[in-house]
């Protein structure tokens, strides 16, 4: 019998992290929690540490580390803090698997550290590939890391593709990337102008954090996923078609030259792709109920509306342009979403801020990780100025 695989979970207190722990708990003979991280939910992280007894726990700063150390008094778990510590637990020689579930640009450096160390990286952080697709994929290739997508759509595409990649020699024609359409799918432009943060975070199908829920509502999430899909599966933006599918039962599809379309279906529960990533190439029980097709009864499909949801258009264009544009897009969106959630700007101001920032920053080639991080920082500064202009209307 093999010894359990050691897992680091980056972003343990978020929805993906908690779902991962649920699957791990069901298979404690196969997986052991080596390290957990959280940004600000120190109390929740303490409770997880008491339950799973990791070797390391990482938080954002020294004050949080002091608080966590106090809460874990008597446990052997070593408390660390800061971005270097995240990279440490992601690349530690004892670790076999890294669940990369930190939201946003903050996940890039630890995810790269895991890839460089040759780990099995379960990628639930699309921003890593949006910001640094070429560098990230080259790192994976050079180190021999195994990169498995955990976003439900990319996991579905991976399952539907031969050898997990877009290969025209095997008859692959197109990726059909599904989108729920979010809570505002049928809203008019007037209605979209007056939506509230509370409405935007109430996703009809999925349980997700605030930021990703707003991205889903604006279709920016689908734009980021399109960019991620192009890097993951070695294809162009023209070979990916976004399909709005409100039921979120078909998680994505692959179209073939002979007219076949292969789809991956299931209940909207992230434990399914997580279990697939943990066990691949095998499968194991995830705790998710089998899909009841009689209950589903009907599946609907629509084209995305790029006029009402311009974030998707901006994402597509930034990938086609290349260079630092996708990193600028991502950083600008993070700032805009944060401002929307704090009620500084309106929902439809999010694409305005992103477009204004993309137009203001001159695009250039990516020649290093530093150039990406510089672009990220500049985009945040420019976006904040764009928001000040909007705020003063």
């Amino acid at each position: 019998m093999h010894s359990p695989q050691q897992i680091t979970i980056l972003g343990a207190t978020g929805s993906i992290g908690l779902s991962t722990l649920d699957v791990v708990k069901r298979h404690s003979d196969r997986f052991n929690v080596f390290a957990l991280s959280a940004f600000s939910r120190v109390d929740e992280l303490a409770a997880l540490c008491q339950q799973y007894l990791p070797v390391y726990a990482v938080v954002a700063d020294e004050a949080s580390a002091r608080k966590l150390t106090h809460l874990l008094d008597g446990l052997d778990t070593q408390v660390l803090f800061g971005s270097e510590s995240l990279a440490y637990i992601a690349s530690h020689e004892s670790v076999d698997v890294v669940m990369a579930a930190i939201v946003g640009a903050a996940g890039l450096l630890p995810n790269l550290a895991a890839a460089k160390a040759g780990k099995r990286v379960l990628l639930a952080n699309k921003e890593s590939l949006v910001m640094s697709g070429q560098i990230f994929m080259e790192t994976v290739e050079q180190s021999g890391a195994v990169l498995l997508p955990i976003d439900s759509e990319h996991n579905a595409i991976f399952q539907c593709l031969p050898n997990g990649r877009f290969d025209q020699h095997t008859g692959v024609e197109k990726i059909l990337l599904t989108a729920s359409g979010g809570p505002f799918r049928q809203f008019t432009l007037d209605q979209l102008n007056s939506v509230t943060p509370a409405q935007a975070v109430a996703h009809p199908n999925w349980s997700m954090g605030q930021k990703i829920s707003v991205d889903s509502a604006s279709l920016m999430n689908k734009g980021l996923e399109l960019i991620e899909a192009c890097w993951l599966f070695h294809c162009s933006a023209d070979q990916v078609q976004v399909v709005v599918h409100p039921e979120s039962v078909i998680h994505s599809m692959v179209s073939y030259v002979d007219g076949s379309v292969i789809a991956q279906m299931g209940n909207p529960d992230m434990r399914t792709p997580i279990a697939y990533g943990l066990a691949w190439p095998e499968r194991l029980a995830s705790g998710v109920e089998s899909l009841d097709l009689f209950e589903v009864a009907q599946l609907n499909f629509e084209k995305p509306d790029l006029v009402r949801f311009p974030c998707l258009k901006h994402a597509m264009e930034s990938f086609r342009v290349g260079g630092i544009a996708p990193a600028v897009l991502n950083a600008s969106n993070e700032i805009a979403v944060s401002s929307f959630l704090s009620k500084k700007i309106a929902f439809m101001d999010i694409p305005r801020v992103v477009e204004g920032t993309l137009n203001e920053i001159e695009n250039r080639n990516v020649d290093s990780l530093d150039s990406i991080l510089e672009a990220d920082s500049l985009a945040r500064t420019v976006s904040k100025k764009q928001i000040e202009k909007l705020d003063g209307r």
Side-chain angles (χ1 to χ4, degrees), residues 48-362:
L48 294 176
C49 290
Q50 285 156 358
Q51 184 176 355
Y52 293 97
L53 306 175
V55 179
Y56 294 102
V58 177
V59 286
D61 51 46
E62 195 172 357
S64 298
R66 279 198 300 271
K67 181 181 177 184
L68 184 60
T69 301
H70 174 70
L71 291 170
L72 298 184
D73 187 35
L75 286 189
D76 290 335
T77 299
Q78 190 176 337
V79 177
L80 306 171
F81 67 91
S83 57
E84 285 183 9
S85 297
L86 288 174
Y88 176 71
I89 61 168
S91 59
H92 195 284
E93 61 182 6
S94 299
V95 171
D96 302 298
V97 182
V98 176
M99 171 54 77
I102 292 173
V103 176
L108 173 60
L109 295 179
N111 296 349
L112 264 173
K116 196 171 181 181
K119 306 302 183 187
R120 174 179 288 215
V121 182
L122 307 186
L123 191 65
N125 166 283
K126 58 187 71 67
E127 291 84 358
S128 292
L129 288 178
V130 171
M131 293 172 69
S132 68
Q134 187 170 344
I135 290 172
F136 201 97
M137 296 307 289
E138 284 173 357
T139 302
V140 167
E141 202 166 315
Q142 288 161 9
S143 71
V146 175
L147 181 64
L148 296 172
I150 298 302
D151 275 344
S152 60
E153 296 83 356
H154 302 88
N155 191 271
I157 295 160
F158 183 80
Q159 293 190 49
C160 295
L161 281 173
N163 309 317
R165 61 189 291 156
F166 194 108
D167 187 347
Q168 289 172 315
H169 297 300
T170 55
V172 178
E173 186 173 56
K174 194 184 292 182
I175 285 170
L176 304 174
L177 183 69
T178 60
S180 70
F184 310 137
R185 181 172 57 88
Q186 296 176 310
F187 276 36
T188 64
L189 272 171
D190 280 348
Q191 287 174 305
L192 286 168
N193 278 316
S194 58
V195 300
T196 65
Q199 288 175 296
V201 300
H203 195 280
N205 302 335
W206 294 94
S207 171
M208 305 183 293
Q210 286 195 323
K211 194 265 181 185
I212 194 170
S213 295
V214 175
D215 283 351
S216 180
S218 72
L219 287 197
M220 177 60 90
N221 193 47
K222 210 47 51 180
L224 299 178
E225 286 180 2
L226 183 143
I227 295 171
E228 182 184 9
C230 291
W231 286 115
L232 278 170
F233 306 118
H234 309 276
C235 61
S236 71
D238 296 329
Q239 292 168 317
V240 182
Q241 182 179 350
V242 174
V243 179
V244 176
H245 166 52
E247 292 82 10
S248 297
V249 167
I250 294 177
H251 299 305
S252 275
M253 299 167 270
V254 174
S255 175
Y256 289 82
V257 291
D258 62 1
S260 299
V261 176
I262 296 178
Q264 189 268 338
M265 303 169 71
N267 284 314
D269 190 314
M270 287 306 297
R271 290 176 298 173
T272 297
I274 289 164
Y276 186 77
L278 285 169
W280 182 84
E282 302 169 43
R283 291 183 186 262
L284 49 75
S286 65
V288 180
E289 286 185 28
S290 294
L291 187 66
D292 184 339
L293 289 171
F294 301 113
E295 192 179 316
V296 173
Q298 188 175 324
L299 300 173
N300 293 283
F301 305 96
E302 303 165 10
K303 285 185 176 178
D305 186 329
L306 300 183
V307 175
R308 287 183 300 133
F309 300 99
C311 282
L312 177 57
K313 181 182 70 174
H314 298 329
M316 290 165 146
E317 287 172 357
S318 77
F319 182 72
R320 288 194 179 101
V321 169
I324 62 167
V328 169
L329 170 100
N330 178 70
S332 179
N333 179 63
E334 284 191 21
I335 294 297
V337 169
S338 175
S339 295
F340 165 68
L341 285 169
S342 58
K343 301 183 178 178
K344 287 182 187 167
I345 60 172
F347 181 72
M348 291 305 288
D349 285 334
I350 295 172
R352 291 187 189 104
V353 171
V354 171
E355 184 177 21
T357 304
L358 282 166
N359 289 340
E360 191 167 327
I361 295 175
E362 187 179 348

Side-chain angles (χ1 to χ4, degrees), residues 10-58:
L10 302 172
T13 58
S15 60
I16 298 287
L18 294 173
S19 293
T20 304
L21 287 166
D22 183 84
V23 176
V24 164
K25 186 169 60 179
R26 294 168 190 273
H27 302 279
S28 55
D29 58 323
R30 294 187 57 163
F31 306 106
N32 184 62
V33 176
F34 178 81
L36 299 173
S37 88
F39 182 69
S40 58
R41 298 175 185 167
V42 177
D43 292 326
E44 291 168 49
L45 182 60
L48 294 176
C49 290
Q50 285 156 358
Q51 184 176 355
Y52 293 97
L53 306 175
V55 179
Y56 294 102
V58 177

